[in-house]
Amino acid sequence: MQAAKPLFDYPKYWAECFGPAPFLPMSREEMDQLGWDSCDIIIVTGDAYVDHPSFGMAIIGRLLESQGFRVGIIAQPNWQSKDDFMKLGEPNLFFGVAAGNMDSMINRYTADKKIRSDDAYTPGGMAGKRPDRASLVYSQRCKEAYKHVPIVLGGIEASLRRIAHYDYWQDRVRNSILIDASADILLYGNAERAIVEVAQRLSYGHKIEDITDVRGTAFIRRDTPQGWYEVDSTRIDRPGKIDKIINPYVNTQDTQACAIEQEKGPVDDPEEAKVVQILASPRMTRDKTVIRLPSMEKVRNDPVLYAHANRVLHLETNPGNARALVQKHGEIDVWFNPPPIPMTTEEMDYVFGMPYARVPHPAYGKEKIPAYDMIRFSVNIMRGCFGGCTFCSITEHEGRIIQNRSEESIIREIEEIRDKVPGFTGVISDLGGPTANMYRIACKSPEIESACRKPSCVFPGICPNLNTDHSSLIQLYRSARALPGVKKILIASGLRYDLAVESPEYVKELVTHHVGGYLKIAPEHTEEGPLNQMMKPGIGTYDRFKRMFEKYTKEAGKEQYLIPYFIAAHPGTTDEDMMNLALWLKGNGFRADQVQAFYPSPMATATAMYHSGKNPLRKVTYKSDGVTIVKSEEQRRLHKAFLRYHDPKGWPMLREALIRMGRADLIGPGKNQLIPLHQPATDSYQSARRKNSTPAGSHKVAKEGKEKTTKILTQHNGLPPRASDGGNPWDKREQAKAAAFARNQQAAKERKEAAKGKGPKPARKPVVPR
């Protein structure tokens, strides 16, 4: 992998003399206090401004400040007019535009396309402070305010919409956001390198349209430049452009012989190799190779071509071997340079070591910002994820090569939280990242890592070239909890348990010292079909981790529980898969309260499955096998009802589905049955979220004339599994009713078959229990 210029090696801009600001200014008054007559760069964001390294605009703003630029912030502007976009004046270099820490559509709408009632990134949690497709709207308002100021588009919304992409909310393929936003350049992925390079070049007087060689950027081009080799990948079921084969009997080092071959005229024999010109292998010149994807118009009209384009995109995500991509939109090309080179540990320390205030801007007063309250005592120790889960966009945004901070940098941040952040009680709420236990885990060979094109390092099994040593993370945990004034270090980030089981010492360290009552993990499903489409390990790996977790919990003398998370309605999931998952949940005593339905986020592989019905994990053709897709609102509700099998509201739907599936035997009071025969007189079920203020989940159950207190394990209260199925016990008559119900269903089925001439007509007399 090629080396990149370190972030801290650039010459500082002249405005460095002003020094760092306590907060990046949000008003003219603050600029006056700092002695600024103007801003060099203005960042427009859909989030409230929190000067903390968990918020993208704070990282980019402080990084540009460290380069000597004067950076202003316009947070959550009123987008109904250009006025708010002019309040800091005209920037000298460019506007940096981002929707915020989340895609604005995902931020506003649930997976069922219902409007959310709150926004965690807004003061007071108030919803409606940002528009739909915020990056697009903000960019157009910036152009309206100052027509000639360049627009640099960034953030996760721009990153995941950089290409022609399926939009779940409109159920159609949309243009690259670069086109719709009328921006000048788009930065995707970890944008630190790109934003510094672009800012430096603009400060030297370069034109924004001339900046075309920065990795991690997308921009508009009219044609492919000279010296580039273009690979045609606009069609499937047939090869793209292929180099002419050189005569194998000619020594290519012998220039005279090659010249003779080149001078040969046409020959009649079609089997003879024809040398038109000698080209280096595209493999040897990847830095001058571009892959032409199917045009926006083609992928919009052909879902199979869309899946093919998605596959090509994901094969070109490794910074060590990725080639440039180009996609035509109408008469112009959108060009995508290869992904950015991952940051080194020294650069990560530099980015996280900048002078963040670590609190919201004073302009918000005492208003609470929920997202900040959730992370103010947490520490990000790394970036990236090599898991490759198809429903997740972390790999597409941050990459699959882990970028680590040093232990010294992390310890300094913990000390800073301890000494500076108001309300600290001695508990660090999280020491993690996209995945809690990928810190300093990487490929054993840099050469293999640079050449690898696999979408995951841990599916279908852990790659033998992956170093799964957790010793650096174990040492970090020990150093962190030994700090004076730190009482507890919790791990709240998602755990990759198939990696964890490779290091029993890590599991023991985690369980003994860093679990706060319960630990969240995400098996996502129990059945092979959906798990394969997710690229997740089998449920057997979860069982193995569970045994280790319980063993070390017992040895530590603690009461701790695993809380597994699951997804409903994911591509590749059948009704039978969800039924089997529900049976597993009941058999293991789990009651999932907060259900996660599959959310087709832009550019994710699973989203391509959802839209096309094809599997981009393998070669896509018109004849390749399809993927089971759950699209109808009714079926999505059914899959969620299976996950919440214990909720009486879903029982009518489940009864109907089980009968339709020929599984009426699962309706009844038995231990191995899923739901009861009859609805309760009143809806006795209460969501754990609605009873958070009550004592933790105990309730009384009548059993054999006695009262017994049991506890229910949900995803929210972390309490132990119930000793029984809970609810009122079923007597013999109720059991007989259930058996009779199943027999009646069978009799009805036989009558239908008889009516069609498939068998003798049975008696119509219903079967009733005695």
Side-chain angles (χ1 to χ4, degrees):
M1 191 181 300
Q2 70 184 68
K5 186 174 182 177
L7 291 173
F8 35 74
D9 277 4
Y10 286 85
K12 300 292 190 291
Y13 190 61
W14 70 265
E16 181 198 13
C17 59
F18 288 100
F23 286 89
L24 302 179
M26 292 177 62
S27 66
R28 278 285 193 174
E29 292 73 21
E30 291 175 83
M31 290 170 60
D32 293 340
Q33 292 171 10
L34 294 169
W36 300 2
D37 60 343
S38 63
C39 291
D40 300 310
I41 299 160
I42 295 176
I43 296 175
V44 182
T45 175
D47 292 341
Y49 171 33
V50 180
D51 199 43
H52 187 285
S54 290
F55 290 78
M57 91 292 291
I59 286 183
I60 295 301
R62 288 296 187 182
L63 177 62
L64 290 169
E65 180 189 61
S66 74
Q67 302 291 314
F69 299 106
R70 293 168 295 178
V71 183
I73 297 277
I74 299 178
Q76 297 187 319
N78 178 357
W79 68 91
Q80 305 297 338
S81 74
K82 64 180 180 180
D83 296 344
D84 262 11
F85 297 82
M86 302 177 72
K87 63 182 181 182
L88 299 184
E90 181 177 344
N92 301 321
L93 298 178
F94 64 87
F95 276 111
V97 174
N101 272 20
M102 292 178 66
D103 182 280
S104 59
M105 300 299 287
I106 295 176
N107 179 275
R108 189 179 183 203
Y109 297 93
T110 69
D112 296 323
K113 301 182 183 179
K114 296 178 181 177
I115 296 177
R116 300 185 193 273
S117 58
D118 56 4
D119 182 344
Y121 293 90
T122 300
M126 185 183 301
K129 285 291 186 178
R130 79 185 82 210
D132 290 353
R133 313 184 198 287
S135 299
L136 189 157
V137 176
Y138 292 160
S139 296
Q140 292 176 346
R141 283 287 182 250
C142 288
K143 280 291 185 185
E144 186 180 341
Y146 301 105
K147 183 176 180 180
H148 302 293
V149 175
I151 305 293
V152 178
L153 203 58
I156 193 164
E157 179 168 277
S159 185
L160 299 184
R161 295 175 180 269
R162 63 185 182 265
I163 199 169
H165 57 281
Y166 172 73
D167 186 85
Y168 172 60
W169 302 271
Q170 291 186 336
D171 192 25
R172 69 179 179 91
V173 175
R174 290 180 60 95
N175 291 333
S176 163
I177 198 171
L178 180 67
I179 300 291
D180 288 345
S182 300
D184 295 279
I185 194 170
L186 182 152
L187 313 185
Y188 71 86
N190 294 311
E192 284 89 351
R193 293 196 191 284
I195 195 69
V196 169
E197 182 70 22
V198 169
Q200 291 281 351
R201 292 198 193 180
L202 290 176
S203 72
Y204 298 152
H206 295 191
K207 294 181 179 179
I208 189 73
E209 57 267 24
D210 294 336
I211 302 176
T212 61
D213 61 340
V214 178
R215 295 180 68 112
T217 61
F219 47 89
I220 292 172
R221 257 188 172 144
R222 296 292 171 182
D223 51 28
T224 301
Q226 289 186 348
W228 281 76
Y229 178 86
E230 186 173 299
V231 177
D232 182 3
S233 191
T234 60
R235 293 167 289 184
I236 57 178
D237 291 337
R238 58 189 301 182
K241 183 176 177 182
I242 301 174
D243 284 346
K244 295 296 195 311
I245 302 171
I246 300 173
N247 187 332
Y249 298 102
V250 173
N251 180 359
T252 55
Q253 301 301 315
D254 184 346
T255 56
Q256 184 176 2
C258 284
I260 294 171
E261 287 292 319
Q262 287 180 322
E263 289 174 0
K264 285 184 177 180
V267 292
D268 295 330
D269 185 359
E271 298 300 323
E272 183 178 350
K274 301 170 186 176
V275 180
V276 177
Q277 70 178 112
I278 299 174
L279 296 175
S281 167
R283 187 176 304 210
M284 303 301 293
T285 58
R286 299 183 77 87
D287 58 334
K288 288 292 183 180
T289 301
V290 62
I291 299 176
R292 180 164 291 280
L293 299 172
S295 69
M296 190 277 171
E297 291 75 17
K298 287 185 177 179
V299 300
R300 179 181 59 198
N301 297 323
D302 188 340
V304 180
L305 270 181
Y306 180 89
H308 164 72
N310 183 273
R311 173 173 169 79
V312 174
L313 174 78
H314 283 83
L315 287 173
E316 302 298 330
T317 55
N318 183 346
N321 60 36
R323 292 166 288 188
L325 304 173
V326 64
Q327 185 177 50
K328 186 171 287 295
H329 285 61
E331 297 302 316
I332 60 176
D333 284 339
V334 180
W335 185 285
F336 310 93
N337 279 335
I341 301 297
M343 288 195 290
T344 63
T345 295
E346 292 75 20
E347 288 173 314
M348 286 284 284
D349 290 353
Y350 175 69
V351 167
F352 282 86
M354 291 182 291
Y356 303 100
R358 304 194 70 85
V359 294
H361 190 279
Y364 302 120
K366 295 183 178 181
E367 282 195 279
K368 299 288 187 181
I369 300 175
Y372 167 70
D373 289 341
M374 185 173 66
I375 56 85
R376 61 179 174 158
F377 303 131
S378 69
V379 179
N380 192 340
I381 65 175
M382 42 75 73
R383 283 186 189 170
C385 179
F386 49 72
C389 300
T390 60
F391 53 81
C392 177
S393 299
I394 291 174
T395 299
E396 286 89 337
H397 185 61
E398 294 191 5
R400 62 185 180 90
I401 295 175
I402 305 303
Q403 301 162 78
N404 309 281
R405 296 172 62 185
S406 69
E407 181 179 313
E408 293 74 21
S409 170
I410 296 165
I411 295 299
R412 275 198 304 273
E413 183 171 351
I414 295 174
E415 292 174 332
E416 199 168 296
I417 292 173
R418 177 194 64 192
D419 300 337
K420 296 182 180 179
V421 178
F424 181 64
T425 60
V427 179
I428 296 295
S429 60
D430 187 26
L431 209 59
T435 303
N437 61 320
M438 287 188 182
Y439 181 71
R440 297 209 173 281
I441 292 181
C443 190
K444 297 174 183 176
S445 166
E447 291 77 19
I448 293 175
E449 182 179 71
S450 294
C452 183
R453 289 159 66 82
K454 289 179 62 178
S456 172
C457 299
V458 289
F459 184 86
I462 296 176
C463 177
N465 295 312
L466 186 69
N467 179 8
T468 59
D469 181 15
H470 285 63
S471 59
S472 296
L473 189 55
I474 294 170
Q475 180 56 48
L476 173 63
Y477 287 176
R478 291 172 178 172
S479 299
R481 68 174 185 263
L483 288 173
V486 175
K487 301 175 184 177
K488 185 81 173 177
I489 303 283
L490 297 175
I491 306 302
S493 297
L495 187 77
R496 191 79 196 198
Y497 56 86
D498 51 345
L499 272 180
V501 295
E502 298 297 313
S503 176
E505 183 184 5
Y506 170 74
V507 178
K508 183 175 183 179
E509 190 80 15
L510 175 76
V511 171
T512 305
H513 301 286
H514 302 286
V515 176
Y518 66 93
L519 180 70
K520 296 181 296 184
I521 57 173
E524 306 298 4
H525 217 285
T526 58
E527 305 306 294
E528 184 177 349
L531 287 173
N532 285 342
Q533 309 309 326
M534 298 175 188
M535 291 208 300
K536 292 286 288 187
I539 198 67
T541 309
Y542 164 82
D543 293 334
R544 182 182 169 195
F545 178 79
K546 183 173 181 287
R547 288 193 295 270
M548 296 175 70
F549 180 89
E550 291 171 346
K551 173 188 174 185
Y552 294 128
T553 292
K554 185 176 180 181
E555 289 180 3
K558 296 189 173 185
E559 189 175 359
Q560 299 174 154
Y561 305 94
L562 285 178
I563 306 296
Y565 280 70
F566 298 92
I567 292 181
H570 190 278
T573 309
T574 64
D575 294 351
E576 287 74 15
D577 290 330
M578 293 306 301
M579 176 189 72
N580 291 332
L581 172 55
L583 289 170
W584 185 93
L585 287 170
K586 183 171 183 180
N588 285 273
F590 287 114
R591 288 187 170 188
D593 188 67
Q594 187 177 16
V595 174
Q596 180 182 5
F598 170 64
Y599 205 150
S601 58
M603 216 171 81
T605 299
T607 302
M609 295 180 192
Y610 177 87
H611 174 55
S612 68
K614 295 290 184 178
N615 183 2
L617 297 175
R618 292 185 284 273
K619 182 179 178 181
V620 176
T621 71
Y622 288 104
K623 295 181 180 179
S624 58
D625 293 338
V627 176
T628 302
I629 303 300
V630 182
K631 277 198 173 183
S632 72
E633 184 178 345
E634 182 181 2
Q635 194 178 15
R636 285 174 68 88
R637 285 202 308 268
L638 173 63
H639 283 206
K640 290 170 68 174
F642 271 120
L643 272 184
R644 292 169 55 80
Y645 67 91
H646 52 281
D647 186 351
K649 293 178 181 177
W651 290 350
M653 181 186 299
L654 290 178
R655 289 191 195 99
E656 183 180 333
L658 289 171
I659 293 169
R660 183 177 66 249
M661 295 161 63
R663 294 305 308 270
D665 58 299
L666 294 177
I667 304 172
K671 180 179 180 182
N672 297 321
Q673 291 175 303
L674 188 61
I675 57 172
L677 176 60
H678 299 293
Q679 287 293 114
T682 58
D683 184 3
S684 59
Y685 177 75
Q686 186 181 18
S687 167
R689 285 174 288 175
R690 295 179 181 176
K691 59 180 180 181
N692 281 341
S693 60
T694 62
S698 295
H699 69 288
K700 293 182 179 179
V701 176
K703 187 172 184 180
E704 297 177 0
K706 300 179 181 179
E707 285 191 344
K708 180 179 180 180
T709 301
T710 67
K711 295 182 179 181
I712 302 170
L713 181 60
T714 76
Q715 291 178 339
H716 290 269
N717 57 30
L719 294 173
R722 294 170 297 160
S724 69
D725 287 334
N728 291 328
W730 293 80
D731 57 21
K732 292 182 179 180
R733 178 167 176 78
E734 292 292 347
Q735 294 180 22
K737 284 182 180 179
F741 177 79
R743 292 196 297 273
N744 281 334
Q745 295 303 317
Q746 180 62 31
K749 183 178 179 182
E750 291 174 358
R751 285 196 299 273
K752 287 182 180 179
E753 291 178 352
K756 296 177 181 178
K758 295 183 179 180
K761 187 176 180 180
R764 292 189 58 85
K765 185 178 179 180
V767 180
V768 294
R770 296 180 180 178

